[in-house]
Amino acid sequence: EAQVTQNPRYLITVTGKKLTVTCSQNMNHEYMSWYRQDPGLGLRQIYYSMNVEVTDKGDVPEGYKVSRKEKRNFPLILESPSPNQTSLYFCASSLPTGGTDTQYFGPGTRLTVL
Amino acid sequence: RKEVEQDPGPFNVPEGATVAFNCTYSNSASQSFFWYRQDCRKEPKLLMSVYSSGNEDGRFTAQLNRASQYISLLIRDSKLSDSATYLCVVNTDKLIFGTGTRLQVFP
């Protein structure tokens, strides 16, 4: 089954404790991205990757890191989480054109930073 | 002004009703347009793309008005299962998501 998986689905952590949210897709998509969704603000892109070893900042990259060592995986790293990073996070993948192709979203990770 | 604006709703309609949502966008250079559906606490999923000539998929009709910079989604014969949030998405060299319009269909 074609899908995007994320782990963990739910996470409660404390300020400053490094965490990683994993994202994996089995559709051989070149383009992957991370979004956060907050009430009243919609989905905002954090980082994206056009291919292996190619990553770029989205609209709200501060406080986040990503890596793309393999085509299927695109982990999101919070080196020192803060309460303003409490949000619902979605990973997405699509074909190379990124913007004009269907985005396939993972199930979401609900993060709470205390 | 937001790049993509939607009425947040909620739109509460009875089963069988016809309901329409509009979405306005600010960048006249926007290239492509989409409607995504998002169920509560779930991931967004593509509902349909929006073409200049308008397009229909079953009970759903999407239209684009470039002159006035808005897109619309019409749902006919609403079902309980149509209850969700509908996200307007505009591609202006990157995807811009609206905050969504919530639809609640009641029996």
Side-chain angles (χ1 to χ4, degrees):
Chain A
E1 181 192 352
Q3 60 182 352
V4 179
T5 57
Q6 292 178 231
N7 280 293
R9 295 288 314 281
Y10 303 90
L11 179 60
I12 301 174
T13 189
V14 295
T15 298
K17 187 176 181 182
K18 180 180 178 179
L19 66 92
T20 299
V21 184
T22 64
C23 172
S24 183
Q25 51 94 5
N26 62 2
M27 294 169 279
N28 203 37
H29 285 162
E30 281 84 0
Y31 185 94
M32 297 185 74
S33 59
W34 275 103
Y35 294 87
R36 60 178 290 173
Q37 187 174 35
D38 302 288
L41 295 176
L43 280 156
R44 294 178 292 166
Q45 192 179 55
I46 302 170
Y47 268 95
Y48 64 96
S49 169
M50 298 292 283
N51 214 325
V52 176
E53 302 293 359
V54 180
T55 63
D56 264 306
K57 295 178 181 179
D59 297 314
V60 288
E62 295 77 22
Y64 304 94
K65 283 174 58 176
V66 293
S67 69
R68 187 92 183 273
K69 294 182 170 47
E70 305 165 282
K71 196 173 188 179
R72 62 184 291 129
N73 296 323
F74 190 45
L76 179 70
I77 302 153
L78 284 72
E79 295 270 3
S80 183
S82 62
N84 64 12
Q85 292 178 299
T86 292
S87 188
L88 178 58
Y89 291 87
F90 289 104
C91 179
S93 74
S94 71
L95 290 171
T97 51
T100 56
D101 285 291
T102 303
Q103 301 286 308
Y104 294 87
F105 286 87
T109 295
R110 190 167 290 278
L111 173 66
T112 301
V113 183
L114 302 174
Chain B
R1 183 185 172 189
K2 286 184 180 177
E3 291 183 88
V4 176
E5 292 202 69
Q6 296 183 250
D7 182 341
F11 284 59
N12 296 306
V13 303
E15 272 187 293
T18 294
V19 61
F21 310 136
N22 282 338
C23 165
T24 59
Y25 60 94
S26 60
N27 191 333
S28 59
S30 299
Q31 300 149 10
S32 50
F33 309 87
F34 311 90
W35 283 102
Y36 276 71
R37 172 193 167 125
Q38 185 174 24
D39 293 295
C40 187
R41 298 176 182 275
K42 297 255 179 98
E43 72 273 24
K45 292 183 180 178
L46 179 68
L47 178 66
M48 56 199 304
S49 301
V50 188
Y51 304 120
S52 296
S53 55
N55 48 304
E56 189 174 309
D57 182 3
R59 298 181 293 108
F60 298 83
T61 300
Q63 293 200 309
L64 166 64
N65 185 320
R66 284 193 184 271
S68 301
Q69 294 182 208
Y70 77 83
I71 67 173
S72 64
L73 177 67
L74 182 77
I75 305 175
R76 289 181 299 279
D77 189 23
S78 298
K79 311 290 185 193
L80 294 175
S81 57
D82 293 334
S83 297
T85 296
Y86 292 84
L87 307 177
C88 169
V89 184
V90 174
N91 177 29
T92 310
D93 73 30
K94 64 177 181 178
L95 290 181
I96 308 293
F97 286 80
T99 53
T101 298
R102 194 155 70 86
L103 171 65
Q104 183 66 50
V105 181
F106 59 87

